[in-house]
């Protein structure tokens, strides 16, 4: 059975791959699976990002939800973590976020949250998939009519409630800080300027005028050049950038130097350890995390737990072992005591709070960790090669040969993306020229066979 859900929900080119029919069926199946133990009329919250296709998919999802007797509550344009927060706050039965996160405008996605605000487990997603792909008659048998059809409601206060939640969670006066914010023309365009202004900061926003087609278009956390230039030209203390649905955050210091997710987690973990709030003196990261983070952690008496790539796996480990900070190099950072998912604006607010308390320049805070040179190459592959990387001997032999060459002074990680038809080739080592050559050699081998 082909999977509808990857590592972060269902995703594809909107309308042609992630069709309206599929969205409607996901709405129906999710409503049935996630509310099967309820005796009341189910209520499902729906948020969306600013893509032109989000309105269309919102309509299809709402129709699917209501057609099986559940109510759909429309939150409007909000960040992904706002959906998770509001579902938990109001004890809704489930939540849906319509977004393809950092991907370009032609893509869209559907992320599902359980009643407790956490993303669904693989097992529940598979149960939803089974209804859609194997048992469509069950969906048809559960269609309602007459007074049993669900209603569509609108929650106009969703963005403001989220803003107040972040403000109260961080509870720091940010006056005296001049911060630049790149909203990626996405969900944070509806919240970021108001949030950080209410916290007292002087806020300068860029890429905060979404028109349905410009989300993640040479802006946001996947394109940091604009923010780097803006921070330097406007003498900002620092800058932060979000992706399309604002569950990621990256930053730059006052000199325009990039502070990625690894460095942010290092800053947070060190500050939390000093405040004695770092649970079990441990941070959770992924296999993509830079070797420099491991050295930082060892030098600062911080233990490291490593998971496979995907914020859901970071979250699973944090819940399993009672840790309270974890995340990814890409900027997905989870503060488990405040949120059930990665939250870009919570991360930014925490960063500004630690910055204010430290009384140092942002560049000084970021110097806690030294980076090893790293290169990441993406190779787009043909769909028929999906999930076949490990079985291609020419590629695995090429990786093994170069890993021997690097020895203990570096590492190679080659993996398939969970959200796109890509093979990601990551190489770290002491010499940039050497790792560049190795990455190119492996990428060329992937292109030769899988493209």
């Amino acid at each position: 059975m082909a999977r509808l859900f990857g590592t972060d929900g269902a995703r594809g080119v909107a309308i042609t791959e992630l069709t309206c029919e599929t969205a409607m069926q996901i709405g129906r199946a999710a409503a049935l699976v996630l509310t099967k133990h309820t005796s009341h009329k189910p209520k499902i919250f729906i948020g969306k990002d600013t893509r032109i296709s989000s309105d269309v998919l919102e309509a299809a999802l709402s129709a699917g939800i209501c057609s099986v007797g559940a109510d759909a509550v429309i939150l409007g344009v909000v960040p992904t973590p706002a959906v998770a927060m509001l579902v938990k706050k109001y004890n809704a039965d489930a939540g849906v976020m319509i977004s393809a996160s950092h991907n370009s405008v032609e893509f869209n996605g559907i992320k599902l949250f359980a009643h407790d605000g956490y993303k669904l487990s693989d097992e529940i997603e598979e149960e939803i998939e089974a209804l859609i792909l194997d048992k469509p008659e069950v969906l048809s048998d559960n269609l309602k009519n007459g007074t049993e059809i669900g209603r569509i409601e609108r929650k106009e206060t969703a963005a403001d409630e989220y803003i107040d939640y972040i403000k109260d969670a961080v509870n720091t006066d940010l006056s005296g800080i001049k911060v630049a914010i790149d909203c990626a023309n996405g969900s944070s365009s509806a919240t970021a300027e108001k949030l950080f202004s209410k916290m007292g900061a002087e806020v300068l926003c860029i890429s905060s005028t979404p028109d349905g087609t410009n989300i993640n278009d040479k802006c946001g956390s996947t394109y940091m050049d604009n923010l780097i230039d803006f921070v330097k030209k406007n003498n900002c203390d620092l800058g932060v950038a979000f992706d399309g649905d604002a569950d990621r955050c990256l930053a730059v210091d006052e000199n325009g130097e990039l502070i990625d997710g690894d460095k942010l987690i290092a800053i947070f973990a060190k500050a939390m350890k000093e405040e004695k709030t770092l649970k079990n003196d441990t941070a959770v990261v992924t296999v993509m995390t830079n070797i420099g983070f491991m050295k930082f952690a060892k030098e600062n008496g911080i233990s490291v737990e490593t998971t496979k790539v995907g914020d859901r796996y970071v979250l699973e480990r944090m819940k399993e072992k009672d840790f309270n900070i974890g995340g990814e190099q890409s900027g997905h950072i989870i503060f488990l005591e405040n949120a059930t998912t990665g939250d870009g604006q919570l991360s930014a607010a925490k960063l500004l709070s630690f910055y204010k308390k430290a009384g140092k320049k942002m560049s000084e805070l970021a110097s806690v960790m030294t980076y090893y040179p790293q290169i990441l190459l993406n190779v787009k592959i043909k769909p028929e090669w999906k999930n076949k990387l490990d079985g291609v001997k020419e590629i695995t032999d090429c990786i093994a040969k170069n890993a021997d060459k690097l020895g203990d002074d570096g590492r190679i990680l080659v993996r398939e993306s969970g959200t796109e038809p890509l093979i990601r080739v990551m190489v770290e080592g002491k010499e940039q020229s050497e790792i560049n050559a190795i990455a190119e050699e492996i990428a060329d081998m992937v292109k030769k066979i899988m493209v």
Side-chain angles (χ1 to χ4, degrees):
M1 181 180 75
R3 282 183 60 84
L4 286 173
F5 297 102
T7 57
D8 200 17
R11 193 170 295 187
V13 175
I15 311 306
T16 56
E17 292 179 359
L18 182 59
T19 66
C20 295
E21 291 80 5
T22 299
M24 184 179 291
Q25 293 292 72
I26 290 175
R28 285 174 176 159
L32 291 177
V33 170
L34 296 174
T35 67
K36 63 184 177 182
H37 298 301
T38 61
S39 56
H40 60 271
K41 188 158 187 145
K43 196 176 288 281
I44 297 177
F45 285 12
I46 304 175
K48 63 185 174 184
D49 70 15
T50 58
R51 294 164 207 271
I52 193 170
S53 61
S54 290
D55 290 348
V56 179
L57 295 176
E58 177 189 71
L61 268 165
S62 300
I65 290 166
C66 294
S67 70
V68 293
D71 290 340
V73 179
I74 307 300
L75 304 178
V77 172
V78 291
T80 289
V83 177
M85 183 276 289
L86 290 164
V87 165
K88 187 176 180 181
K89 176 180 177 180
Y90 286 100
N91 198 29
D93 296 283
V96 185
M97 179 65 184
I98 303 166
S99 176
S101 189
H102 61 285
N103 294 144
S104 52
V105 67
E106 69 271 21
F107 292 94
N108 217 325
I110 296 172
K111 305 179 188 183
L112 300 174
F113 293 91
H115 66 93
D116 56 5
Y118 288 106
K119 291 180 182 177
L120 301 187
S121 66
D122 289 343
E123 291 76 20
I124 295 177
E125 285 188 345
E126 286 165 5
E127 189 177 349
I128 292 169
E129 284 180 346
L131 280 182
I132 297 168
L133 300 175
D134 299 337
K135 303 174 183 177
E137 69 279 2
V138 174
L139 300 181
S140 298
D141 290 344
N142 279 277
L143 293 178
K144 306 299 183 183
N145 57 34
T147 58
E148 293 184 330
I149 296 171
R151 296 178 183 272
I152 296 177
E153 307 169 18
R154 297 189 181 274
K155 189 167 188 56
E156 306 293 348
T157 61
D160 285 336
E161 289 185 51
Y162 169 74
I163 288 168
D164 289 340
Y165 178 79
I166 300 298
K167 180 177 178 292
D168 293 342
V170 177
N171 192 28
T172 303
D173 179 6
L174 301 180
S175 58
I177 299 176
K178 185 177 182 180
V179 59
I181 300 177
D182 187 335
C183 296
N185 290 314
S187 291
S188 63
S189 302
T191 55
E193 184 171 13
K194 189 172 182 180
L195 167 61
F196 292 100
S197 296
K198 285 184 77 169
M199 294 183 74
E202 180 184 350
V203 179
L204 288 74
C205 283
I206 61 175
S207 302
S208 58
T209 53
D211 63 8
T213 66
N214 59 0
I215 187 171
N216 299 319
D217 186 10
K218 294 183 178 178
C219 59
S221 63
T222 55
Y223 188 89
M224 297 292 287
D225 292 356
N226 292 345
L227 183 63
I228 288 168
D229 290 342
F230 189 86
V231 165
K232 292 190 290 186
K233 287 177 182 175
N234 291 275
N235 297 313
C236 297
D237 295 309
L238 72 159
V240 294
F242 308 118
D243 62 339
D245 67 335
D247 62 354
R248 299 185 186 195
C249 173
L250 296 183
V252 298
D253 67 19
E254 74 279 3
N255 302 313
E257 292 295 320
L258 176 65
I259 305 171
D260 73 354
D262 289 345
K263 279 200 171 185
L264 288 174
I265 297 167
I267 292 168
F268 295 144
K270 186 173 188 294
M272 291 165 69
K273 187 170 191 292
E274 290 170 353
E275 292 180 349
K276 302 190 184 306
T277 59
L278 182 64
K279 282 192 172 183
N280 299 304
D281 286 344
T282 299
V284 183
V285 297
T286 77
V287 293
M288 289 292 286
T289 297
N290 193 273
I291 294 175
F293 183 89
M294 307 305 174
K295 293 184 176 293
F296 147 81
K298 187 175 181 180
E299 290 166 1
N300 287 274
I302 296 170
S303 299
V304 179
E305 290 268 336
T306 305
T307 74
K308 59 183 177 180
V309 174
D311 62 318
R312 66 163 52 203
Y313 304 113
V314 172
L315 177 61
E316 284 175 4
R317 185 71 56 83
M318 292 173 71
K319 291 171 66 179
E320 175 191 351
K321 296 193 174 182
D322 194 29
F323 304 131
N324 60 348
I325 179 70
E328 299 185 281
Q329 191 179 68
S330 61
H332 277 123
I333 300 173
I334 302 168
F335 291 90
L336 194 53
E337 291 173 324
N338 303 114
T340 56
T341 186
D343 189 329
Q345 288 169 97
L346 175 62
S347 298
K350 292 272 192 180
L351 179 65
L352 268 64
S353 176
F354 289 136
Y355 169 79
K356 179 77 179 280
K357 293 173 185 175
K360 300 176 181 178
K361 290 185 176 180
M362 195 67 242
S363 55
E364 292 181 70
L365 281 187
S367 67
V368 298
M369 173 186 153
T370 302
Y371 244 91
Y372 264 49
Q374 183 184 84
I375 182 171
L376 176 63
L377 300 179
N378 293 324
V379 182
K380 192 168 185 177
I381 61 172
K382 292 180 179 178
E384 57 263 33
W385 284 102
K386 185 172 176 60
N387 298 324
K388 295 181 180 178
L389 175 64
D390 291 341
V392 183
K393 189 174 186 300
E394 295 94 329
I395 297 174
T396 56
D397 286 350
C398 182
I399 294 167
K401 177 192 74 174
N402 283 292
D404 288 342
K405 187 188 300 182
L406 283 173
D408 294 333
D409 291 327
R411 65 181 182 129
I412 299 170
L413 180 64
V414 181
R415 68 177 188 90
E416 186 174 335
S417 168
T419 58
E420 302 171 79
L422 297 174
I423 297 297
R424 303 194 192 278
V425 180
M426 189 276 284
V427 185
E428 285 177 346
K430 286 186 173 180
E431 299 295 332
Q432 189 72 54
S433 58
E434 181 182 28
I435 66 171
N436 287 351
I438 290 172
E440 290 286 355
E441 181 181 345
I442 297 170
D444 287 343
M445 183 64 72
V446 174
K447 291 174 187 175
K448 179 180 176 182
I449 297 170
M450 304 178 81
V451 175

